[in-house]
Amino acid sequence: MTSATGTKILASLAAGLAAGTTNLIAAGAIFGGTLTHGLQQIASGLLGEAAFRGGAGAAALGAGLHYGISIVAAGLYCALAVRQAWWREHWLLGGTLFGIVAYLVMNLVVVPLSHAPNPDFSPAIVVKELVAHT
């Protein structure tokens, strides 16, 4: 692995962990409830209703899924920014646009194809979640 590749991987890991953490904090502020329940909600994408009876194990699975998705998204943004200067030069706008696309893909494609309950698309929730994803 070259030094440049290692730097991109570390940047993606750091950005994914930071974004994943801020998104969990925002979700707690938006939806309330416990962190365990929120993470079980994420795990319900794979486990369905059983996630809510799965205790800490299901929450750990949810955390792994959540951070895994966040790290992959950060890696995609990194790859995009390496290939196209606009995404580096306009990182604030680019990051905002990327966050909106991430929200749309997760809520219109990934969640409906999973076992998780369908997302709430009320205007207030959509606005709050868009802010959280950007």
Side-chain angles (χ1 to χ4, degrees), residues 62-128:
L65 292 168
H66 178 73
Y67 281 108
I69 291 167
S70 293
I71 291 166
V72 168
L76 290 172
Y77 189 89
C78 181
L80 188 61
V82 165
R83 286 171 179 71
Q84 296 182 357
W86 185 89
W87 295 93
R88 288 188 310 278
E89 295 165 2
H90 301 92
W91 57 269
L92 185 58
L93 178 58
T96 300
L97 293 172
F98 193 85
I100 292 168
V101 169
Y103 169 81
L104 292 172
V105 168
M106 289 304 300
N107 285 282
L108 297 178
V109 178
V110 175
V111 172
L113 291 174
S114 77
H115 295 290
N118 286 326
D120 179 354
F121 288 114
S122 64
I125 293 295
V126 169
V127 168
K128 289 175 185 177

Side-chain angles (χ1 to χ4, degrees), residues 1-11 82:
M1 173 170 34
T2 67
S3 176
T5 301
T7 300
K8 292 172 195 162
I9 290 171
L10 286 175
V82 165

